[in-house]
Amino acid sequence: MITTIKKYSFGAHAPTGAVTAQVEEGDTLPYFSVQAEGQGTRFRCPLEKDDVVYGLGETMRGIDKRGGRYVSFNTDNPHHTQDMPSLYGSHNFIVVDGKKTFGAFFDTPARAVFEIDCGGSGEVNVLCERGVTVYIVEGESAHAVVRRFLRAVGRSYLPPLWAFGFGQSRWGYKDERDIRRIARGYAKAGMPLDYICMDIDYMDRYIDFTVNKKRFPDLKAFVVEMKGKGVRLVPIVDAGIKVEPGDPVYEEGVQKGYFCKNIEGKDFCAAVWPGMTHFPDFLRPEVRAWFGRQYKVYTDAGIEGFWNDMNEPAIFYSEYTKGKGGERSEGDPLYRGNTFLSDYRNFCHNIEGKEVNHWEVHNIFGANMTRASAEGLDALLNGRYLLFSRSSYIGAHRYGGIWTGDNASCWDHLRQNVLQMPSLNMCGFLFSGADTGGFGGNASRELLLRWLAVSAFTPLFRDHASKGTRPQECFRFRGKKDFRSILSLRYRLLPYIYSEFMKAALSFDMYMQPLAFGYPQDARARRVEDELLVGESLLIAPVLEKGAKGRRVYLPEAMTEVRWDGASFSARQAAAGEHFVKVPLGEVVFYIRKGKLLPVGGAAMHTGECDLSAVTLLGDGEEYEQYLDDGLTRSVSEDNIRLLRRQG
């Protein structure tokens, strides 16, 4: 029983599975006034002038959420503008940090609206449109509140070591020749690579759990071939099952009644990539078990990594909306991003024998797809696997990671990547990252290099781009030395990155934090949002502006400044305060906190060549506790710690 958290119920809702700990029911909700509104409840909490509000995971704007309106309603929307209220995930946890510091998790699978000092209102105003359970988390600091919340929602998913390597992806890799060409390009350029993602073109007519035999005549042999080069294959799996008589997955799903029903009680039909599809009713345990078993077609071929997509669920049009514009018509007032929102009222789930409209449980659909995949892979594989998803809800972090969706090749989205990482960590999603270089649009050489310098520190490190954009593989750009420099840095940092991720997961902590969490008494640190703490030792201050030769860096205390130039590390002492630091393209500058150490390893072309135990220690600390295991088995423990001591 966690005594620092209490829950308060307002109406009924389907279980989300977000909170796994035992929590007492409270009497009267503190901090918030409560008012019934329609079928839901509105909550208001006054804010002090200097309060900071953290959280909300995958949302736009800053780390401090004051001044914004955020709508938890998972949406396939590639338009990531600052005023966009909804993205792919719903992470309804906030932390108010000020004279009173507490956390509040609004656990509801339906739509919720957060207005946080919106228009200068001076309050947090939350409308939950249906039933909600509110969890209040007490703590002496914002960081303490987050750690208690993370313990309540359960331990992060643990990927294998190879998942921390660099991955290359693109919508448009069609066949074995394309993938061989990519692997060969990286190898010839001397750039490390651990995996290549296969987007929808590997499938037979975009049908889940199929492989196009003309493009991949012997997938199992191809997997063996690529693993021999140190490269794994990571296929995409979408949420919809094509209406395809004769397809065994479709036939079994229909026969056993595993698909969501339309408002007439028949299997709901909606168009996604393969055409008309049915959606598995992932909220039912037997359906999750069935769907998870389908991954056997891949695991039998030796595949150990997957990414789930289109699981908000994305709907291009349906049997109900095709006549209202249909086929992604942006002129329709019901159209948002890539989806007709009205379709979310046109199908239903069966929850413990009760029919529930999808609108009531929309935000947990994708999370339950991730759960289905993870539970299936747990049964199919003996070790750890890579799994990340687009749509999510708090609790899905126990089953897989997430990427932040279809961003664009622009400087604003590079900055947003930095701002989102700590907010996602607060909500449990430690294994996360953005499409490095941007998915939509044409990444310039400068933008891609600066983005690589950020992603070199995020757990999920993948370059991904859309069909029709400029080729974005690192080896295609001039001045390959600069790209080789940053990619090789990632592999030298793996002894630290892997250790800090595992320690954070096992101790219910964050891997990436706002500066203010490490320096809560520093008023300036509370305002800095473009610098992050990475693990216990590092501070990063990446260059985020086009044409910049460097940037201003604020250090709350004296630190060791480390510069990587592609060949070696150099270090110098940097005083507390503000500095202008020059950072040429291809170089990376970061900081080791006072009294801390950083273990760095040697060069490698993939993680199979990494020896995480052979390290050099940088920094002015005396000791570092390194988590070290085989990176593959599920036998993980805090006992896998070795103490490293600085020599001399």
Side-chain angles (χ1 to χ4, degrees):
M1 180 75 70
I2 298 181
T3 58
T4 52
I5 304 178
K6 290 189 176 179
K7 64 180 180 180
Y8 307 82
S9 299
F10 300 87
H13 62 83
T16 67
V19 174
T20 58
Q22 286 189 315
V23 177
E24 281 187 349
E25 191 89 37
D27 297 323
T28 303
L29 182 70
Y31 304 114
F32 292 89
S33 63
V34 180
Q35 178 183 351
E37 186 164 323
Q39 299 179 58
T41 310
R42 187 176 294 278
F43 304 87
R44 285 190 167 93
C45 171
L47 291 172
E48 300 285 344
K49 179 171 65 73
D50 295 326
D51 285 350
V52 176
V53 182
Y54 297 109
L56 293 184
E58 188 185 54
T59 46
M60 298 299 292
R61 304 174 72 91
I63 296 174
D64 182 357
K65 296 302 178 183
R66 289 190 74 148
R69 180 177 183 270
Y70 313 91
V71 179
S72 289
F73 198 75
N74 299 355
T75 306
D76 174 14
N77 194 339
H79 307 297
H80 302 181
T81 58
Q82 287 297 299
D83 60 350
M84 187 57 63
S86 302
L87 292 178
Y88 311 90
S90 292
H91 309 133
N92 302 342
F93 175 59
I94 62 171
V95 180
V96 177
D97 185 22
K99 291 181 180 179
K100 295 179 180 178
T101 297
F102 65 93
F105 173 39
F106 296 84
D107 189 14
T108 175
R111 189 174 184 268
V113 180
F114 292 78
E115 294 181 343
I116 302 180
D117 195 20
C118 195
S121 66
E123 66 175 8
V124 173
N125 188 323
V126 183
L127 173 62
C128 296
E129 295 188 350
R130 297 293 188 272
V132 59
T133 303
V134 182
Y135 294 82
I136 297 295
V137 188
E138 303 288 357
E140 62 276 10
S141 67
H143 189 194
V145 167
V146 169
R147 294 198 67 181
R148 287 168 181 168
F149 177 69
L150 294 180
R151 189 170 292 274
V153 296
R155 192 182 73 185
S156 166
Y157 148 81
L158 300 176
L161 172 61
W162 67 264
F164 292 85
F166 176 67
Q168 180 61 57
S169 182
R170 182 177 178 85
W171 175 22
Y173 296 157
K174 297 184 299 298
D175 53 28
E176 290 182 355
R177 289 178 300 175
D178 283 348
I179 291 174
R180 286 192 186 99
R181 192 178 302 120
I182 298 306
R184 188 165 55 246
Y186 274 97
K188 184 178 179 181
M191 298 177 187
L193 179 69
D194 259 274
Y195 61 92
I196 296 175
C197 290
M198 302 161 65
D199 212 315
I200 56 177
D201 293 305
Y202 82 87
M203 302 178 187
D204 177 16
R205 294 173 292 138
Y206 307 141
I207 301 174
D208 269 357
F209 310 116
T210 67
V211 178
N212 186 305
K213 295 297 184 180
K214 290 183 178 179
R215 297 176 176 182
F216 297 90
D218 189 340
L219 181 62
K220 186 173 184 178
F222 186 52
V223 169
V224 171
E225 173 193 331
M226 296 307 296
K227 280 187 178 180
K229 300 174 182 177
V231 178
R232 285 173 165 83
L233 301 182
V234 178
I236 197 170
V237 177
D238 285 345
I241 300 297
K242 180 174 173 58
V243 176
E244 182 77 2
D247 176 71
V249 179
Y250 165 77
E251 294 283 4
E252 185 178 9
V254 170
Q255 179 188 358
K256 295 186 176 178
Y258 284 163
F259 297 122
C260 293
K261 303 300 181 183
N262 63 18
I263 52 182
E264 282 85 31
K266 300 177 181 178
D267 290 335
F268 176 67
C269 286
V272 201
W273 293 118
M276 289 310 246
T277 66
H278 295 328
F279 292 132
D281 192 351
F282 292 118
L283 277 61
R284 294 162 55 190
E286 67 273 23
V287 177
R288 290 196 299 270
W290 165 76
F291 189 83
R293 288 194 296 270
Q294 307 311 316
Y295 284 77
K296 190 174 188 296
V297 69
Y298 305 117
T299 59
D300 281 354
I303 290 174
E304 305 156 293
F306 307 89
W307 52 307
N308 288 345
D309 197 11
M310 308 298 285
N311 52 350
E312 291 72 32
I315 298 176
F316 297 164
Y317 60 89
S318 80
E319 55 193 322
Y320 297 98
T321 51
K322 187 173 184 180
K324 295 186 176 182
E327 302 193 12
R328 304 163 70 92
S329 170
E330 298 194 25
D332 194 295
L334 296 172
Y335 189 81
R336 295 291 183 277
N338 291 328
T339 299
F340 283 96
L341 299 188
S342 62
D343 279 323
Y344 293 141
R345 299 185 188 274
N346 290 333
F347 65 101
C348 301
H349 299 264
N350 184 322
I351 301 177
E352 298 178 349
K354 180 182 177 181
E355 183 181 283
V356 178
N357 189 276
H358 176 80
W359 192 274
E360 313 288 323
V361 293
H362 171 71
N363 290 336
I364 60 173
F365 181 86
N368 277 280
M369 179 189 177
T370 302
R371 179 177 178 179
S373 305
E375 291 173 344
L377 293 169
D378 283 341
L380 292 166
L381 297 171
N382 292 322
R384 288 183 250 168
Y385 45 82
L386 172 60
L387 177 63
F388 57 98
S389 173
R390 192 170 73 178
S391 182
S392 60
Y393 185 83
I394 290 175
H397 69 283
R398 300 192 298 270
Y399 304 104
I402 59 173
W403 92 101
T404 57
D406 296 346
N407 60 3
S409 299
C410 64
W411 292 89
D412 281 348
H413 287 185
L414 168 57
R415 176 177 290 274
Q416 195 65 48
N417 184 184
V418 173
L419 300 176
Q420 285 178 331
M421 288 302 102
S423 300
L424 285 167
N425 274 226
M426 291 176 203
C427 296
F429 292 94
L430 304 191
F431 192 78
S432 55
D435 284 345
T436 299
F439 175 72
N442 297 316
S444 67
R445 179 180 187 273
E446 179 190 7
L447 175 61
L448 182 54
L449 281 168
R450 294 303 192 195
W451 211 317
L452 288 165
V454 170
S455 297
F457 296 92
T458 64
L460 175 59
F461 185 15
R462 178 180 76 144
D463 178 332
H464 183 43
S466 174
K467 182 186 295 186
T469 64
R470 176 186 302 151
Q472 198 165 288
E473 297 84 9
C474 298
F475 64 82
R476 297 188 185 277
F477 290 82
R478 62 177 176 80
K480 293 179 177 58
K481 177 182 176 182
D482 290 339
F483 292 90
R484 192 159 48 242
S485 168
I486 300 177
L487 293 179
S488 67
L489 171 64
R490 168 60 169 227
Y491 285 76
R492 292 175 186 271
L493 290 174
L494 278 179
Y496 178 78
I497 290 173
Y498 183 73
S499 174
E500 290 301 302
F501 180 94
M502 295 297 289
K503 288 193 300 185
L506 293 176
S507 63
F508 302 97
D509 206 345
M510 301 168 67
Y511 168 80
M512 303 188 89
Q513 302 177 24
L515 208 58
F517 277 35
Y519 303 93
Q521 305 307 316
D522 188 320
R524 174 75 181 276
R526 285 170 65 85
R527 301 195 303 272
V528 173
E529 296 202 333
D530 59 356
E531 302 176 20
L532 299 179
L533 301 177
V534 179
E536 69 173 49
S537 301
L538 296 189
L539 180 153
I540 63 170
V543 177
L544 304 175
E545 295 183 4
K546 183 179 186 299
K549 305 302 181 185
R551 60 158 292 165
R552 293 197 175 278
V553 176
Y554 174 69
L555 300 181
E557 62 180 349
M559 298 187 186
T560 302
E561 181 183 284
V562 180
R563 183 179 296 270
W564 169 254
D565 64 5
S568 62
F569 295 100
S570 59
R572 72 175 186 89
Q573 293 305 301
E578 189 173 281
H579 309 262
F580 183 82
V581 181
K582 291 184 179 180
V583 188
L585 288 172
E587 295 190 8
V588 180
V589 176
F590 54 89
Y591 298 85
I592 304 175
R593 299 172 68 183
K594 186 176 181 179
K596 302 293 184 181
L597 288 175
L598 169 70
V600 296
M605 289 298 288
H606 54 82
T607 52
E609 296 180 352
C610 290
D611 181 357
L612 302 190
S613 67
V615 298
T616 301
L617 298 175
L618 306 178
D620 63 6
E622 297 296 325
E623 296 180 343
Y624 176 76
E625 292 185 339
Q626 183 187 17
Y627 181 92
L628 190 63
D629 63 14
D630 64 8
L632 292 172
T633 62
R634 296 176 191 164
S635 178
V636 298
S637 168
E638 291 180 337
D639 294 335
N640 294 328
I641 295 285
R642 67 170 189 157
L643 188 63
L644 305 179
R645 290 188 172 91
R646 185 162 61 92
Q647 302 297 314

